[in-house]
Amino acid sequence: MKESKNALNIVWLKRDFRLEDHEALYQASEDEDHVLLVFCYEESIYSDAHYSDFHLDFIKQSLVEMNASLQTFETKVLSIQAEVIPFLDWCKAKFGQIKLWSSQETGLNLTFQRDIRVGQWCKTNGIEWEEFQNNGVIRGLKDRSTWSADWGKFMRRKIKPINLHNTNFLSLTQIEQFETNFKAFGTSTKPKIEVQKGGHVQAKFWLDTFLESRHEGYNRHISKPVGSRLHCSRLSPYIAWGNISIRQIYQQTVQRKKEIKDKRNLSSFMSRLRWQSHFIQKFEMEPRMEFEAHNKGFLNIGYEHNEKYIKAWKKGQTGFPLVDASIRCLMATGYVNFRMRTMISSFFSHLLFQHFAEIGPWLARNFLDFEPGIHYPQLQMQSGLTGYNTVRIYNPTKNAKDHDPEAIFIKRYVPELRNLPPNLAIEPWTLTAMESELYEFDLERDYFLPIVDMAEARKIALSKLYGHRKEPLAKKEKERILNRHTIPRRDNSWNSK
């Protein structure tokens, strides 16, 4: 055990609930002074509409697992209900000398402003705050000319082992002094069978089983609402909340690719690892995407708020079975696959022609894997507000026929349609009078009429979106966005050598 000079190293956990490949913890552990891991449940943050019990339970489960691992070292994560600055004030008064360590966070404006205030507090109080790069996101970039190469270097860099045995952690007894001055953040949760559980052990389980065999159906099932639940990696919540790093996943996947003959599924998976960082990098460089159109030429596109549409969409009562099944599944489990996410977003923004900001927070609190840096750039893209991406208006009926032809997913989450044959469960508005009598099903009584005429709504949306693309400002913004965010072609330096 190192001898302490009675100062304190505070490792502030935000979205990095792990004890491996954690640069802030590694650097703090190398210091001879005491080390304290802390999570602050900040009411000002977690009461925001973007967060829900899905997220808090996942955090709690992650903390429980971390504390189980830390028992060997007679320490734990201090988990309290407190705003960060009052907590730091108390630590400074208690210890005199403190140092703050954390991972960089590409978050909402809410957390960004919080971090600015923390930075100002540190500067005013002469406190050193060290932040470290998180996954493949790089702060301060002006364009993407070197991003792919930098991303690849970061992913291939050797992971530094953290010597927890030799870290000068505060003891459980010492941590009790903190707990008497702050309200504890309870970590008990009620298990939910359909919702993934947080923690590094769970992350490793999903990664190991995916690389062992589940990846074999990755490309075939990635768009299927049922098959994707097994054959996609399902690592997204563990990445979003930092139970495992992208680098850990990348390096283990590279090793597994060397061991198998058919590398196509894992190659596809690895490309999506990079795209994960790519979207967060976009948000890091232009965080205003949380609130308004990425392409400023679309700021006045003319959305008309329709409360009836919004409520029906949020309840899964649009009259389009695959849309409703996806919404209800999301509310129940915190997960739907990427294809269903893009479809329900496109349906809202295009066919209902509503502004993405109306559902941004709602979707966030229902996505267990809510990651601000992916969430808002994706909503922008699926809404057609970039001015350069192809406008994709997903047809929910075609998608149901292509990806849920037996209506297994639809019937699971829209039980009103359970007694209909697959073709009618997908298109219940096509029932004839005879079929309605045969199946004892009335569309208006037992389900919902389609909320819009899909063909007409699609025509209107395309006219408005492509019409705006011709505007001078939209064209100018398109060039600005492409110059700033486009990754150079033929840049394969991110890939494994």
Side-chain angles (χ1 to χ4, degrees):
M1 184 69 68
K2 303 165 187 173
E3 182 180 350
S4 174
K5 294 179 180 178
N6 201 36
L8 181 64
N9 290 289
I10 299 171
V11 180
W12 176 22
L13 302 175
K14 295 189 281 184
R15 279 180 169 264
D16 47 359
F17 297 97
R18 63 180 182 272
L19 298 172
E20 298 177 2
D21 196 18
H22 193 300
E23 188 69 21
L25 176 56
Y26 172 82
Q27 295 296 340
S29 72
E30 293 291 297
D31 196 288
E32 62 185 12
D33 291 318
H34 281 123
V35 174
L36 172 69
L37 289 158
V38 63
F39 168 71
C40 292
Y41 169 83
E42 301 167 89
E43 184 71 22
S44 63
I45 302 296
Y46 291 102
S47 63
D48 182 77
H50 289 81
Y51 299 101
S52 69
D53 286 343
F54 272 146
H55 308 135
L56 291 178
D57 282 354
F58 198 87
I59 290 170
K60 290 175 181 180
Q61 292 155 0
S62 302
L63 290 168
V64 167
E65 188 188 282
M66 289 180 75
N67 285 336
S69 298
L70 290 168
Q71 279 183 343
T72 303
F73 313 106
E74 298 183 356
T75 191
K76 66 178 181 180
V77 178
L78 173 65
S79 303
I80 56 175
Q81 298 184 48
E83 300 297 315
V84 171
I85 290 178
F87 168 72
L88 294 174
D89 274 327
W90 186 89
C91 291
K92 185 176 184 297
K94 177 75 174 175
F95 287 86
Q97 184 181 350
I98 63 174
K99 185 172 181 179
L100 185 62
W101 310 81
S102 72
S103 300
Q104 293 174 350
E105 178 183 5
T106 303
L108 300 168
N109 183 61
L110 187 71
T111 57
F112 177 57
Q113 295 302 324
R114 184 269 321 272
D115 285 355
I116 289 176
R117 292 192 298 272
V118 171
Q120 290 170 341
W121 180 91
C122 288
K123 185 176 181 180
T124 299
N125 288 274
I127 302 301
E128 187 177 353
W129 179 18
E130 289 279 353
E131 292 183 278
F132 298 93
Q133 181 178 336
N134 189 27
N135 291 321
V137 180
I138 303 168
R139 284 196 172 168
L141 287 187
K142 301 299 181 184
D143 59 44
R144 296 298 195 90
S145 57
T146 65
W147 183 80
S148 286
D150 292 337
W151 188 90
K153 290 176 184 176
F154 184 83
M155 292 302 147
R156 292 189 292 271
R157 191 177 302 159
K158 184 178 179 181
I159 295 173
K160 299 174 183 176
I162 302 172
N163 189 346
L164 298 177
H165 287 276
N166 200 40
T167 300
N168 195 6
F169 288 115
L170 282 184
S171 68
L172 293 171
T173 302
Q174 291 170 310
I175 292 174
E176 286 177 5
Q177 298 176 32
F178 290 80
E179 294 174 327
T180 59
N181 287 276
F182 295 95
K183 187 177 180 180
F185 175 66
T187 55
S188 61
T189 59
K190 293 181 180 179
K192 298 174 183 176
I193 296 174
E194 287 193 290
V195 181
Q196 287 176 280
K197 187 177 178 181
H200 180 69
V201 172
Q202 287 290 313
K204 283 290 292 177
F205 165 80
W206 287 101
L207 176 59
D208 291 345
T209 57
F210 177 69
L211 295 181
E212 178 60 33
S213 59
R214 290 192 298 112
H215 74 273
E216 292 169 4
Y218 182 72
N219 286 332
R220 188 167 65 256
H221 292 283
I222 192 170
S223 295
K224 314 297 181 186
V226 176
S228 61
R229 302 184 82 85
L230 174 64
H231 293 286
C232 284
S233 75
R234 304 300 304 277
L235 286 167
S236 56
Y238 303 102
I239 297 170
W241 295 102
N243 290 159
I244 193 168
S245 71
I246 292 283
R247 180 160 51 194
Q248 287 175 294
I249 298 168
Y250 176 90
Q251 292 187 8
Q252 194 168 330
T253 304
V254 167
Q255 181 57 42
R256 180 59 174 152
K257 276 185 70 178
K258 295 176 181 177
E259 302 167 355
I260 59 176
K261 291 183 178 180
D262 189 346
K263 307 179 189 300
R264 289 173 295 179
N265 288 298
L266 289 187
S267 292
S268 297
F269 171 68
M270 288 182 71
S271 72
R272 287 177 174 86
L273 284 182
R274 185 179 71 139
W275 281 104
Q276 190 267 2
S277 298
H278 163 71
F279 277 101
I280 301 176
Q281 186 69 55
K282 288 176 72 173
F283 194 62
E284 171 72 27
M285 295 167 72
E286 292 200 58
R288 68 177 182 83
M289 282 191 273
E290 178 183 345
F291 305 106
E292 62 184 23
H294 189 193
N295 185 312
K296 295 176 184 178
F298 288 81
L299 290 176
N300 62 344
I301 195 169
Y303 292 109
E304 293 183 8
H305 178 91
N306 188 313
E307 193 63 24
K308 175 189 172 183
Y309 285 177
I310 295 169
K311 285 183 177 179
W313 184 92
K314 288 181 178 178
K315 290 180 179 180
Q317 298 177 352
T318 67
F320 289 88
L322 189 60
V323 172
D324 294 343
S326 298
I327 293 289
R328 297 182 195 185
C329 175
L330 180 60
M331 289 191 286
T333 72
Y335 173 84
V336 286
N337 68 330
F338 181 73
R339 166 72 65 155
M340 298 303 107
R341 296 183 192 211
T342 57
M343 181 199 67
I344 61 177
S345 300
S346 167
F347 184 90
F348 184 85
S349 295
H350 296 143
L351 299 182
L352 303 186
F353 212 73
Q354 299 296 295
H355 196 289
F356 73 86
E358 300 280 5
I359 56 167
W362 187 94
L363 280 171
R365 63 178 175 265
N366 281 286
F367 285 144
L368 179 63
D369 58 8
F370 168 52
E371 172 66 72
I374 296 176
H375 189 69
Y376 280 105
Q378 275 294 331
L379 282 176
Q380 294 273 352
M381 191 165 78
Q382 303 312 327
S383 299
L385 299 180
T386 64
Y388 65 91
N389 292 111
T390 301
V391 177
R392 293 184 174 90
I393 301 182
Y394 291 84
N395 182 324
T397 302
K398 181 180 185 303
N399 271 270
K401 291 177 179 178
D402 290 346
H403 303 300
D404 189 33
E406 298 303 314
I408 295 171
F409 180 72
I410 287 173
K411 292 184 180 185
R412 169 70 177 83
Y413 291 101
V414 186
E416 304 99 296
L417 306 175
R418 192 170 289 165
N419 295 326
L420 298 180
N423 63 311
L424 295 178
I426 290 172
E427 297 179 277
W429 53 84
T430 64
L431 263 83
T432 63
M434 183 179 295
E435 289 169 328
S436 182
E437 184 177 347
L438 174 64
Y439 297 112
E440 299 181 339
F441 181 90
D442 180 85
L443 186 60
E444 291 188 69
R445 181 194 69 206
D446 299 317
Y447 182 48
F448 304 94
L449 291 170
I451 197 167
V452 291
D453 180 307
M454 189 161 53
E456 183 63 21
R458 175 186 172 86
K459 182 179 178 181
I460 292 171
L462 286 173
S463 175
K464 289 185 177 181
L465 288 166
Y466 279 109
H468 259 71
R469 286 194 175 198
K470 299 174 184 177
E471 297 289 331
L473 179 57
K475 291 180 178 180
K476 182 178 179 180
E477 276 289 286
K478 172 185 174 181
E479 293 305 312
R480 179 191 67 80
I481 293 168
L482 289 174
N483 288 335
R484 191 166 196 201
H485 295 288
T486 300
I487 299 171
R489 291 184 180 275
R490 299 182 181 178
D491 187 346
N492 198 36
S493 54
W494 62 274
N495 210 340
S496 57
K497 302 296 182 183

